[in-house]
Amino acid sequence: MTPPVAPPVPLIGRLILAHGFTQTARSWDRFVELLVERGFAPGSLQAVDLAGHGAASDVTATLWQSADQLVDAGGNGTYVGYSMGGRVALHAALAHPDRVERLVLIGATPGIVDDGERGERRAADDRLADHIEAVGVDQFVDEWLANPLFAGLDAETAMRSDRLRNTTAGLASSLRNAGTGTQQPLWDRLGEIRCPVLLLVGSDDVKFASIAEHMAEHLPDATVDVVDRSGHSAHLEQPQATVDALLGWLGQAPV
């Protein structure tokens, strides 16, 4: 019997994938497999290790510097970023509009507007960095995954073993230099992003669903899509549904 042929993929160029905090480029493996099954050439998909993570554990970088490094690695294409990776991809879209052709953000934020709240978050990030250095990666990853934000992950989708590839110094550095508390709010710059933007959010991720709706009001060309039966990590909890949402949107995006 002749195996089924994957439907043709729209001519959309490359997809560059940016992971979340404590993850690495390998966290996208299942997502990439599904895209290849749908007809993407493996060479058109690139997952990048962000500063402080994976093969870049010894790299120290701010969000703007991380954005430069991401674009240097990815080149021209559609940038897909999750959580921390979404914040980096958002900075990349602002710093390199000629390289970021489309932008997909999964559970990401343009930053904390209130100066006091942002200062409190930065202090909390610094304390958490100190804690990582005190307890080590193994204990911290278990504590991190116990966060209610990740309640939708199970032993397989949490990919704990991949997170343990990170280093104490790398994760602490990431928090101190590129944590949410360090991020100057970008809400008033969203109107500068002229490329199409897809804002993906899990149906159970109430906080980030609200953020996505507000972002869409400021972006010139934005679509909000909700992934059912998922929380903050929609692409890990419901990878097939997330791929379907992405491909549906890409099929209507300009070539």
Side-chain angles (χ1 to χ4, degrees):
M1 178 182 295
T2 303
V5 178
V9 172
L11 183 61
I12 58 170
R14 293 164 46 76
L15 261 64
I16 300 92
L17 309 169
H19 61 80
F21 180 63
T22 76
Q23 298 180 318
T24 76
R26 294 183 188 176
S27 69
W28 293 101
D29 284 356
R30 178 55 182 155
F31 200 76
V32 167
E33 288 175 4
L34 291 171
L35 288 171
V36 170
E37 289 175 6
R38 297 290 288 272
F40 275 85
S44 68
L45 304 168
Q46 182 173 1
V48 177
D49 281 321
L50 297 177
H53 296 75
S57 288
D58 60 347
V59 176
T60 298
T62 65
L63 285 166
W64 289 112
Q65 292 168 338
S66 295
D68 292 342
Q69 294 164 4
L70 178 63
V71 170
D72 285 345
N76 288 26
T78 296
Y79 280 72
V80 182
Y82 159 64
S83 198
M84 179 191 74
R87 294 188 293 112
V88 173
L90 181 58
H91 283 72
L94 288 166
H96 303 279
D98 56 326
R99 311 301 292 275
V100 181
E101 298 168 356
R102 299 172 194 83
L103 180 63
V104 181
L105 303 179
I106 305 172
T109 176
I112 302 170
V113 175
D114 183 84
D115 290 343
E117 291 181 14
R118 191 167 63 256
E120 291 175 2
R121 177 58 184 265
R122 178 153 195 169
D125 286 345
D126 287 343
R127 289 194 298 271
L128 194 58
D130 292 342
H131 180 67
I132 295 171
E133 292 172 334
V135 304
V137 173
D138 283 42
Q139 180 175 325
F140 174 71
V141 164
D142 288 339
E143 294 172 353
W144 184 251
L145 291 174
N147 189 312
L149 201 63
F150 308 116
L153 296 173
D154 58 26
E156 179 180 1
T157 56
M159 300 183 69
R160 180 180 183 274
S161 60
D162 180 54
R163 297 174 195 261
L164 294 182
R165 296 175 53 240
N166 292 309
T167 67
T168 298
L171 294 181
S173 172
S174 176
L175 277 175
R176 291 182 178 126
N177 292 282
T180 303
T182 71
Q183 180 178 341
Q184 289 299 308
L186 301 175
W187 288 95
D188 61 354
R189 295 195 60 187
L190 294 180
E192 300 174 26
I193 300 176
R194 314 309 298 183
C195 70
V197 181
L198 174 62
L199 304 168
L200 282 172
V201 64
S203 59
D204 300 331
D205 193 7
V206 177
K207 174 183 175 180
F208 283 88
S210 177
I211 290 173
E213 292 291 346
H214 285 111
M215 287 181 69
E217 296 172 0
H218 295 270
L219 290 160
D221 184 359
T223 301
V224 178
D225 202 342
V226 177
V227 181
D228 289 337
R229 295 180 295 108
S230 65
H232 188 61
S233 308
H235 66 301
L236 298 179
E237 298 172 37
Q238 298 293 339
Q240 185 66 71
T242 307
V243 165
D244 289 344
L246 172 63
L247 293 184
W249 177 75
L250 287 172
Q252 297 179 14
V255 173

